[in-house]
Amino acid sequence: MVRRGMRSRLISVLFLISLVFTMLVMAVGCQPGSGGRSPGAESGRITIGTTASLNTIDPADATSSFAGLLQYNLCDRLYTYQLGSRDLVPQLATAMPQVSADGLTYRIPLRQGVVYHDGTAFDAAAMAFSLQRFTQAGGNAASILGAIDQVTATAPYELTIRLKEPFAAFPSLLAYAGACAVSPKAYQIPAASEGEAKKFKPKELIGTGAYQLTDFGTDRLRLEIFDRYWGDKPQNQGIDIQVFSSPANLFNAFRTGAVDLAIQGMATEQVQTLQQQASGRGWKVLEQSGGSIDFLVMNVKSAPLDQLPVRQAIAALINRSILQSRVFLGQVEPLYSLIPNSFDVQKPTFKERFGDRNLETAKTLLKQVGYSVQEPLVVDLWYRSNLVNDQLAATTLKADANRELQGLVKFQLNSVETTTAYARLEQGLYPIFLLDWTGDYFDPDTYIYPFLECTEGSVQTACKTGQSAAWGSFYYSDRANQLLAQSRAALDPAKRKQIFEQLQQLVAEEVPFIPLWQSKDYLFVQAAIEGASLEVTQKVPFRQLRRS
């Protein structure tokens, strides 16, 4: 039996302990970004969180943006972009290429003293092997370097590349993350008859980068510093990448400090919450115009979209600002050209031609071809059923058109799963489809050529074979094909810019596609981390990351 005095003192002691504990918890919780500590805090390692799925990291087969981020940090390419700029600079090359007068041959001097993660020496033969494997292995990425006809080591440290046709953007293409040097000792160029298992290495990457991949798990990757790296050494002790199963888990991990950085994978509302709380918690929120664009594909063979005034009227009635604010909470940029805002050749031709949501123009165009409230334009608008944002955007477009045009235009919404949609685009089943595209390399060419090119077709038959047909637009234009060829052959930047302006004007005139918005990329960084940057190419240089 405890006496009253002893019991009172015991209660007081317990209360004091409880009070001290509570104050400690509150103190920790009030520290900026310190709801917890990442696993690498003591060792100097950096922990990065994401929800991005990663099926393969093999440069010849991987096409996802997160695979590209890892390749960027584990490998080197002939060229890369100067940090914080759009300037292309040599990496494994020692100078910009010497280009022949016909624009077909590129001679590139190479760096000496470079070794791969497995100790193999880098030279021109190894670089030639890497590019040959990329184009010949039959992977998902092979077409990206499809302009290459032949790669030859013309000297121990000189590479000569022959193109099939002139391509002014080719140096930018050589900076593509997957166009990197891989060890000829660790990889092979398989025969066509060999199985997929022998072609690719989905969980390995033996390159020449500042980091080497030492562990590839289902939910965690480990990058160690490569101590024989030829360039500047990383400012941290290694990188741990944690792959979370849901946006909510990534969101909570960052808010509690379990990860040092978070990239790719949070929901719109979660991004907004972190933005709002950043100043009070000491977080850094880095924002960059993304490489992904969303647009409407207009099937020019499908009635009533085979009438130009109908396509132009739909372009005029689009309300991009309502999509930006209501659907995406300001996390996209309105887009008035297929070329993103990231490029200086971009010209907002849809805004110049149609204004910013010009309802009177839309009404006038529709009345020209006989539409009225009594006989409205009725057209099917398709979207991908497995993407919530696409559904919200399509619903918003329908509701806005119905409200503002009072029944003159009626969108009938339909949806289909992504894989099925892409398999059927060339069949011409969809009058209008809301889709997206992420450029393969940092050049405006990759936002124009993949849409307008037509290999076979005519104005009468529309496009039968080519990029335009692959999208389900079937747009054909002799003028577009001529301008595309000129843009690829033009080495003078000023001339290229002029040609791209003409192509953008042509798209706004004939409306085979309607640009809607451009994505934004976000990188969330804890207060204790310095050196973080989100480059214009949407890459994050791991080498610069360090603890304050």
Side-chain angles (χ1 to χ4, degrees):
M1 183 175 181
V2 181
R3 286 184 295 181
R4 180 172 306 205
M6 292 178 62
R7 183 179 180 183
S8 178
R9 286 194 296 273
L10 180 59
I11 291 174
S12 298
V13 171
L14 290 174
F15 175 79
L16 181 60
I17 292 173
S18 175
L19 180 61
V20 171
F21 178 79
T22 301
M23 292 175 67
L24 286 171
V25 170
M26 290 176 65
V28 172
C30 290
Q31 292 177 18
S34 65
R37 301 194 71 187
S38 72
E42 298 299 332
S43 63
R45 298 179 64 83
I46 303 293
T47 302
I48 300 173
T50 185
T51 63
S53 59
L54 189 65
N55 297 322
T56 177
I57 197 174
D58 192 313
D61 195 39
T63 57
S64 74
S65 59
F66 196 72
L69 173 60
L70 293 174
Q71 292 162 358
Y72 173 81
N73 286 283
L74 289 164
C75 296
D76 296 319
R77 288 140 295 281
L78 290 169
Y79 300 99
T80 189
Y81 289 91
Q82 185 73 42
L83 293 183
S85 79
R86 294 177 170 85
D87 297 333
L88 199 63
V89 295
Q91 192 174 43
L92 288 176
T94 58
M96 299 305 292
Q98 296 179 348
V99 187
S100 61
D102 61 5
L104 293 176
T105 302
Y106 286 67
R107 291 188 181 276
I108 303 172
L110 301 182
R111 187 177 299 277
Q112 301 184 35
V114 177
V115 296
Y116 289 97
H117 298 154
D118 62 0
T120 304
F122 168 81
D123 57 14
M127 190 69 231
F129 165 85
S130 299
L131 296 178
Q132 289 164 357
R133 178 179 182 270
F134 191 104
T135 57
Q136 297 173 22
N140 291 318
S143 63
I144 295 173
L145 295 181
I148 294 178
D149 181 43
Q150 189 177 33
V151 185
T152 309
T154 46
Y157 291 95
E158 180 188 79
L159 192 71
T160 300
I161 302 176
R162 178 85 177 169
L163 304 185
K164 297 173 184 176
E165 58 186 15
F167 187 22
F170 187 62
S172 297
L173 194 147
L174 291 176
Y176 168 69
C180 60
V182 296
S183 169
K185 182 179 179 180
Y187 295 84
Q188 60 178 326
I189 301 176
S193 59
E194 292 190 81
E196 293 295 314
K198 292 188 177 181
K199 287 185 178 182
F200 306 112
K201 294 180 178 290
K203 297 184 178 182
E204 299 179 40
L205 188 44
I206 312 300
T208 61
Y211 296 92
Q212 54 185 333
L213 180 64
T214 59
D215 184 37
F216 189 121
T218 55
D219 61 354
R220 184 177 292 274
L221 289 83
R222 187 175 179 88
L223 280 59
E224 301 289 357
I225 294 173
F226 180 44
D227 57 9
R228 298 181 66 186
Y229 185 59
W230 59 270
D232 294 335
K233 299 298 186 290
Q235 298 180 38
N236 52 68
Q237 298 302 310
I239 303 291
D240 295 303
I241 296 172
Q242 179 69 51
V243 182
F244 291 89
S245 59
S246 71
N249 289 343
L250 175 59
F251 173 71
N252 290 329
F254 183 79
R255 290 185 74 245
T256 59
V259 297
D260 298 309
L261 301 94
I263 189 171
Q264 293 190 19
M266 275 186 271
T268 305
E269 295 79 5
Q270 294 163 345
V271 170
Q272 185 184 56
T273 297
L274 293 183
Q275 288 175 312
Q276 293 170 344
Q277 296 179 355
S279 59
R281 302 292 297 273
W283 299 326
K284 292 180 280 288
V285 180
L286 306 185
E287 178 182 315
Q288 183 66 262
S289 294
S292 176
I293 64 171
D294 284 69
F295 49 88
L296 295 176
V297 178
M298 311 296 281
N299 184 343
V300 302
K301 295 200 306 180
S302 174
L305 298 171
D306 55 348
Q307 301 178 83
L308 177 58
V310 171
R311 301 198 302 272
Q312 292 176 332
I314 294 172
L317 67 84
I318 298 297
N319 188 342
R320 292 170 179 81
S321 62
I322 199 171
L323 294 172
Q324 180 191 36
S325 60
R326 293 189 185 179
V327 178
F328 297 101
L329 305 179
Q331 295 167 31
V332 300
E333 301 174 49
L335 188 63
Y336 299 93
S337 166
L338 290 175
I339 297 179
N341 305 320
S342 316
F343 299 100
D344 59 4
V345 304
Q346 198 258 16
K347 192 173 179 64
T349 49
F350 275 76
K351 188 172 185 178
E352 294 173 353
R353 186 173 186 84
F354 301 108
D356 197 0
R357 192 202 188 203
N358 194 324
L359 297 178
E360 291 305 315
T361 296
K363 292 176 183 177
T364 300
L365 288 165
L366 290 174
K367 289 176 181 178
Q368 285 178 7
V369 286
Y371 291 103
S372 65
V373 175
Q374 293 74 30
E375 296 289 336
L377 169 67
V378 180
V379 63
D380 288 345
L381 170 57
W382 288 78
Y383 62 90
R384 291 165 292 179
S385 58
N386 55 310
L387 299 179
V388 174
N389 284 342
D390 279 22
Q391 179 182 2
L392 292 173
T395 303
T396 302
L397 288 172
K398 175 183 177 178
D400 186 64
N402 186 59
R403 179 177 59 254
E404 298 298 333
L405 293 178
Q406 301 175 339
L408 181 59
V409 175
K410 293 184 178 180
F411 288 123
Q412 298 183 151
L413 300 187
N414 302 274
S415 64
V416 63
E417 190 272 334
T418 297
T419 304
T420 303
Y422 282 109
R424 295 179 178 176
L425 284 173
E426 286 189 86
Q427 298 176 24
L429 302 178
Y430 311 117
I432 306 179
F433 212 123
L434 173 58
L435 293 172
D436 67 347
W437 167 254
T438 301
D440 293 322
Y441 44 94
F442 191 71
D443 189 271
D445 177 86
T446 194
Y447 294 95
I448 286 288
Y449 187 88
F451 292 92
L452 304 184
E453 183 273 337
C454 183
T455 306
E456 179 187 2
S458 68
V459 175
Q460 292 73 29
T461 65
C463 185
K464 294 182 178 180
T465 306
Q467 304 285 350
S468 174
W471 280 111
S473 172
F474 305 101
Y475 171 69
Y476 178 87
S477 167
D478 285 327
R479 179 63 175 154
N481 282 335
Q482 292 168 6
L483 289 171
L484 288 172
Q486 292 172 18
S487 72
R488 291 194 148 198
L491 297 178
D492 178 19
K495 184 177 181 180
R496 279 191 91 209
K497 182 176 183 179
Q498 184 181 47
I499 296 169
F500 279 128
E501 287 183 359
Q502 294 179 59
L503 283 163
Q504 292 170 91
Q505 293 283 7
L506 189 61
V507 175
E509 290 170 10
E510 304 197 352
V511 199
F513 302 88
I514 300 176
L516 297 177
W517 69 82
Q518 176 182 353
S519 67
K520 289 184 181 179
D521 288 334
Y522 292 92
L523 177 65
F524 296 95
V525 187
Q526 298 287 358
I529 303 301
E530 295 181 350
S533 68
L534 186 55
E535 298 298 303
V536 70
T537 56
Q538 295 83 50
K539 299 297 188 292
V540 178
F542 293 169
R543 281 188 297 167
Q544 309 297 115
L545 299 174
R546 61 189 181 276
R547 295 189 180 278
S548 58

